[in-house]
Amino acid sequence: MIRIQQLKLRVGHTDGELEEKICRLLRCKPQDLLSYEIRRRSIDARKKPELYYNYTIDCHMTDQRQTLKRAGKGVCIAQEPRYRFPESGSVLPGHPPVIVGTGPAGLFCGLMLAKYGYRPLLVERGTDVDTRIQDVARFWETGELNPLSNVQFGEGGAGTFSDGKLNTLVKDPAGRNREVLRLFVKAGADASILYDSKPHIGTDALVSIIKNIRKEIQDWGGTVRFNAKVTGILHDKGKITNVIINDTESIPCETVVLATGHSARDTFQMLFDTGLTMESKEFAAGFRVEHRQSAINLSQYGMADVAQTGAAPYKVTAQTASGRGVYSFCMCPGGWVVNASTEEGRLAVNGMSYSDRAGRNANSAIIVSVKKSDFPSDHPLAGIAFQRTLEEAAYQAGGGKIPVQRLEDFRAVFATRTKENVRMAKTGHSTDICSFSCNQPKEVRQVFRQTSERVCEPFRPCIKGQYVFADLTNVLPEEMTRAFLEGMEQFSHKIKGFADGDTLISAVESRTSSPVRILRDETYQGSLKGAYPCGEGAGYAGGILSAAMDGLRIAETIRKQYCPYT
């Protein structure tokens, strides 16, 4: 197979124009081109508003050797890692493996084990995806939270209510990346995810895809149980013997895949108490930031009408004077900010898009790096405590609703507040920002009067869940807030209007990645033999695709150790 790299055509071209360009670059006749496959496509906007696609294309030819001789630059033999599931091991497991969690890590691990005869049992604390959708809709409408079935918990994991982005920076010599994408397409995803440089599925499309993966697991002999929370793990002489479900049911097993997701805080505590070795992990936190999608389109593509390309994304990074990194995360073109809380009295937000990305606003998390020195202690679970502090502050700021603030007002309040903190420090009073919030000076009260008068302006937030305009300056620690504002100013030099006063921010984006890593050895097992920490919650992935890839990796590891039942 021959590969063409850097084939460029104007956006909106026809299939015929693409084939003509292929033949021209290969210097071949049309009849010599047997077939071709797009392997990668990205948008080149350097000459905006003239937009081009850059392609990588693999071609089957009648005579590959002669074609290579004739072809110009950018043509080579295609070399692509091909995924292979390993041969089975020599030991027959006494019981089917138990997989804890049905996010991408658990689902893809379960899919491969089921396909090869291991009859895995997948247990999920939440509900099936259809029931989960109803629970989430009820929460967004009424504020009534189901702590076991929400945006984070339930079939499909946190990624179900997201943009369904399938980006990863993970190196992939084993071909797991493309295998995951192929399995998504087999389950119903659009084939474009196999070649788009920034593939996404959309939360609406993910629902049916997840159900199709579950059905395939069941068809291959696996079992999926919902409303089945793992509340304990038993072990003897350092080896797993049983898992406890809902405090009442004991399931014997030698192999447990811990694909819990990054928000299973009570499960992390249980695993720590059980004796699994873990450590705290740095992450990032900040705000959801909204702009008009038309403004982002204009900045990125030089045009507001993007019918041919779809809504424009962006990616921004900055390094601040304090040494903290600030960057965009989980950017959702034409998307929604959503209430993604899991605990009463605490509030977290996330972003999601539907497959058409047709919403009027663009949103992304603009997040600030969190250091271990920010944590209240050196305990392995101290990062969770820090997250909870942020989420409690966000909950209080909005009275249980998502707190929203214009960036101009946020800057004004923060400037006034920090000046007052300096004055209080000079007079020997407390400089604790949180304690100061109950005694706002006249200037701060004036800003809130102005904010309430602006809520009728045409730029409104796109939010799933109840929201209220409020003061967000107490949500992050002062150093992180300064870094956020500094980063926003830097980004305004890259994307026009990024830090304009009408930009909307919502709090708090705290679930960017797991604050915990469950340590595993060279066999991918934890400190208890038979426990396999897996995916984002265990600290070994950062998104849908990398979590699914880690699920494949753990399935391969189990395969190398055990024979299948069939």
Side-chain angles (χ1 to χ4, degrees), residues 271-411:
L271 295 175
F272 177 79
D273 294 340
T274 299
L276 276 167
T277 303
M278 55 183 68
E279 63 183 12
S280 61
K281 185 173 74 67
E282 294 180 346
F283 58 102
F287 301 109
R288 273 279 149 185
V289 175
E290 289 186 80
H291 301 90
R292 292 177 178 85
Q293 183 62 53
S294 58
I296 299 298
N297 294 340
L298 192 61
S299 175
Q300 299 298 90
Y301 292 162
M303 61 181 75
D305 183 4
V306 289
Q308 291 183 318
T309 62
Y314 63 79
K315 181 178 181 179
V316 287
T317 62
Q319 193 68 23
T320 64
S322 66
R324 292 183 187 264
V326 182
Y327 54 96
S328 58
F329 171 80
C330 187
M331 194 271 149
C332 298
W336 298 79
V337 176
V338 303
N339 191 330
S341 305
T342 59
E343 298 175 330
E344 295 288 353
R346 302 185 177 105
L347 194 149
V349 293
N350 196 6
M352 78 173 199
S353 296
Y354 296 111
S355 55
D356 60 8
R357 289 179 163 176
R360 67 179 184 273
N361 289 357
N363 77 74
S364 72
I366 300 298
I367 51 178
V368 182
S369 58
V370 175
K371 306 173 184 178
K372 288 188 179 182
S373 58
D374 296 318
F375 298 166
S377 71
D378 58 0
H379 190 279
L381 302 182
I384 294 176
F386 183 76
Q387 282 181 326
R388 282 174 163 160
T389 298
L390 302 183
E391 293 170 15
E392 288 164 6
Y395 186 92
Q396 293 166 8
K401 301 177 181 179
I402 296 175
V404 182
Q405 192 168 24
R406 296 174 68 251
L407 184 59
E408 179 181 348
D409 300 334
F410 181 83
R411 283 191 292 243

Side-chain angles (χ1 to χ4, degrees), residues 2 17 29 31 44 51 78-79 125 129 132 154-155 158 168 195 273 276 288 303 325-327 330 393 407 417 459 539:
I2 292 177
E17 290 171 328
K29 297 177 181 179
Q31 58 266 31
D44 183 346
L51 304 180
Q79 294 182 341
R125 72 165 70 198
V129 70
R132 184 184 178 198
E155 186 179 20
T168 181
Y195 55 79
D273 294 340
L276 276 167
R288 273 279 149 185
M303 61 181 75
V326 182
Y327 54 96
C330 187
L407 184 59
R417 178 157 297 157
F459 182 42

Side-chain angles (χ1 to χ4, degrees), residues 104 108 156 159-167 177 180-194 196 198-213 331-333 352-358 544-545 548:
F108 278 83
T160 304
F161 294 93
S162 72
D163 186 60
K165 283 176 286 295
L166 300 175
N167 302 331
N177 184 319
V180 169
L181 296 177
R182 187 190 69 80
L183 291 170
F184 267 124
V185 171
K186 181 182 178 184
D190 190 271
S192 64
I193 68 171
L194 290 169
D196 270 339
K198 296 180 180 179
H200 81 104
I201 295 177
T203 190
D204 50 335
L206 273 168
V207 172
S208 60
I209 291 168
I210 289 165
K211 290 192 288 187
N212 289 340
I213 294 174
M331 194 271 149
C332 298
M352 78 173 199
S353 296
Y354 296 111
S355 55
D356 60 8
R357 289 179 163 176
I544 294 173
L545 184 55

Side-chain angles (χ1 to χ4, degrees), residues 1-37:
M1 192 182 306
I2 292 177
R3 174 163 295 175
I4 303 174
Q5 297 175 315
Q6 295 297 315
L7 186 156
K8 183 182 290 188
L9 277 175
R10 191 186 295 271
V11 167
H13 67 78
T14 65
D15 290 344
E17 290 171 328
L18 177 57
E19 291 183 23
E20 182 181 342
K21 186 70 175 284
I22 291 172
C23 291
R24 188 160 66 249
L25 291 174
L26 295 179
R27 299 171 183 170
C28 71
K29 297 177 181 179
Q31 58 266 31
D32 294 332
L33 177 63
L34 298 177
S35 65
Y36 67 89
E37 179 184 2

Side-chain angles (χ1 to χ4, degrees), residues 4 55 120 138 141 185 208 234 290 390 426 501 532:
I4 303 174
Y55 287 101
R138 187 180 307 111
E141 181 179 351
V185 171
S208 60
L234 304 183
E290 289 186 80
L390 302 183
K426 290 180 178 179
Y532 291 86

